[in-house]
Amino acid sequence: MAADTARMRHAGAVYRRSLGAYLRSMAEYPADFWIMAIAGSLWQILLFAFLSVLFANVNAIDGWGYHEMLVLAGFLATSWSSTALFWDGIWDTGKMVVEGDMDYRLTRPAPVLLQVASKHLGMQVFGEMTLGLAMIAIGWVGAGLGLAAVPVGIFLLACAAVIQASLLTIANAANFWMKGRTPVIAFMLTELQNEAMRFPLTIFPIAVRLVLTFGLPLAFASFVPAQILTGRLDPWWLLAPPIAAAACAAIAVWVFKAGVRAYDSAGH
C-alpha cells in the first residue's frame, strides 16, 4: 500500500512539473498566449451568437428554452476545453509514435500516459473555458437554478471532464496501430461533438440517442448533466455520470496500455 501511494505521488509530481514547465515557457511569449486565447474564444462567441439569433426567432428547441440551451452549450464547451488545460498532450500521441519520441517516455520512471498527456497544454483553452463558464452562468441564472445546485453542477462538470479526457485518450491511442501522425479518430470525435452535442439529443432518432448515450457516452458529458440540473431527469440519474466517468477512464487506461505494448519504436 505504501509503495502504491509513493508511486501515485511520484506520478502526480511528474505531471505537475511537466505542466508547470510548459506554463513557464508560455509566460516567455505573452503575445502568443493572448492570440491563442482570443482565437479560442471566437468559436464560443459564434455559438453564443448563434443561439441568441436562433432564439430570437423560436421559443424553444424540443422543449429547451434559451437559458437551458446555454447551460447545455456551456457544459459542452467547458468540459471539452478542460482537456486542453489538463490533457492536451494526448493529441501528440500519433506524432510521438511515428517519430520515436515515445521511446524516451518509456524509459522514464513515470506512467507513460501521464507523461504524454502533460506534454503541453492548449493556450486556446483560456478563452474557450471563460466563454463556456459564462454561458453556464448566464443560463444558470436565467433558468432559475439556485445556488443550492452549484455543488451538483461542479460534480457533474468534473465527471464530464473525465469522460471527455478518457474518450480523447482512446481516440488518440488508435494511432499506436494506425501508425500516422494525424489523430484522425480524435478529429472525428471533435467534429461529432461540435455538430451533434450542442443540441438536445431528443431531436435525433432513437438509434442515434442510444449510440451517443451508451455506445459513445458523449451524452454524459453535456446532455445528461444539463437534464439533471434542469429537472428533466430523476435525482437517481446522478449516479450515471460518475459511473460513466469511471468506466471511460478504466477503458482509456487499458486501451493506452495496450497501445504501448503494441508499440515497436519508429526504427522497426
Side-chain angles (χ1 to χ4, degrees), residues 15 21 58 62 79 157 164 172 184-185 212 218 224 233 256:
Y15 176 80
V58 300
D62 201 31
S79 62
L157 196 57
Q164 297 280 25
N172 278 278
V184 177
I185 305 299
L212 294 179
L218 292 171
V224 171
L233 291 177
F256 196 89

Side-chain angles (χ1 to χ4, degrees), residues 99-192:
E99 295 182 355
D101 190 35
M102 196 67 70
D103 295 357
Y104 171 66
R105 315 290 166 178
L106 291 169
T107 60
R108 298 179 68 191
V112 178
L113 178 55
L114 285 182
Q115 294 183 64
V116 173
S118 61
K119 185 172 179 284
H120 57 73
L121 58 85
M123 289 185 285
Q124 78 281 0
V125 66
F126 298 98
E128 291 179 356
M129 187 166 286
T130 299
L131 267 295
L133 290 172
M135 283 192 285
I136 291 177
I138 295 171
W140 195 283
V141 174
L145 304 179
L147 292 177
V150 170
V152 176
I154 294 174
F155 171 72
L156 292 173
L157 196 57
C159 292
V162 171
I163 292 171
Q164 297 280 25
S166 300
L167 294 177
L168 192 60
T169 299
I170 295 169
N172 278 278
N175 283 66
F176 278 111
W177 294 275
M178 295 171 64
K179 307 292 185 183
R181 293 172 180 267
T182 305
V184 177
I185 305 299
F187 281 135
M188 292 172 61
L189 177 66
T190 303
E191 287 301 312
L192 178 61

Side-chain angles (χ1 to χ4, degrees), residues 52-99:
S52 299
V53 172
L54 178 64
F55 279 92
N57 295 278
V58 300
N59 293 323
I61 298 178
D62 201 31
W64 287 67
Y66 173 63
H67 292 100
E68 294 167 321
M69 284 293 296
L70 284 181
V71 172
L72 174 61
F75 246 87
L76 176 61
T78 306
S79 62
W80 181 247
S81 62
S82 70
T83 63
L85 183 59
F86 301 110
W87 212 248
D88 199 57
I90 202 70
W91 284 93
D92 283 350
T93 301
K95 179 181 177 182
M96 295 169 72
V97 168
V98 171
E99 295 182 355

